[in-house]
Amino acid sequence: MCFPCPYLHGEVELSSEREQHIAETHPDLLPTHRDRIADTLANPDEVRRSPRFGNARLFSRWFDAVRGGKHVVVVVVLDDRPHGHNWIVTAYISRRLAEGEVEWKRN
């Protein structure tokens, strides 16, 4: 499954293995809020550099309707090789954002 991501000028892949990982470790997100992953990648509030992996970005967006108001965070591994693909390593719901240096923020 692929999601459009204007910030990365392309698509981001969610493999079935990664989807299963998210569903097992973050059942509050999947399958109920699958559309929030797409919304977060398409129109994030913020993009941060991962403090653990230099080639990963944390896309986040606030949703009032997710568990009474929470951020959805989607962690994307960037592949800068020609014709490489970007892919979701994990995604989760959070009440606050504490990780990583802000690379881009919505005005």
Side-chain angles (χ1 to χ4, degrees):
M1 172 181 312
C2 289
F3 300 101
C5 183
Y7 181 81
L8 296 176
H9 308 289
E11 292 188 329
V12 175
E13 178 186 2
L14 176 60
S15 69
S16 56
E17 184 271 331
R18 292 285 85 200
E19 183 174 11
Q20 181 178 343
H21 161 81
I22 296 166
E24 289 174 359
T25 57
H26 306 287
D28 54 339
L29 181 60
L30 283 181
T32 307
H33 298 293
R34 178 185 318 278
D35 58 330
R36 304 297 193 225
I37 292 174
D39 294 342
T40 299
L41 291 170
N43 194 16
D45 292 332
E46 213 172 77
V47 179
R48 295 176 180 232
R49 293 180 184 269
S50 170
R52 293 172 29 190
F53 305 103
N55 65 331
R57 298 296 180 272
L58 288 76
F59 289 76
S60 64
R61 182 168 168 183
W62 178 265
F63 294 95
D64 291 330
V66 173
R67 295 181 48 207
K70 299 282 188 285
H71 298 276
V72 170
V73 179
V74 182
V75 183
V76 177
V77 175
L78 308 179
D79 186 348
D80 58 1
R81 297 176 299 170
H83 307 291
H85 72 283
N86 303 313
W87 54 280
I88 296 170
V89 66
T90 195
Y92 54 90
I93 294 172
S94 180
R95 64 181 170 188
R96 63 183 177 90
L97 301 174
E99 289 188 46
E101 174 188 341
V102 175
E103 181 174 276
W104 179 87
K105 188 171 186 167
R106 181 194 322 262
N107 290 336

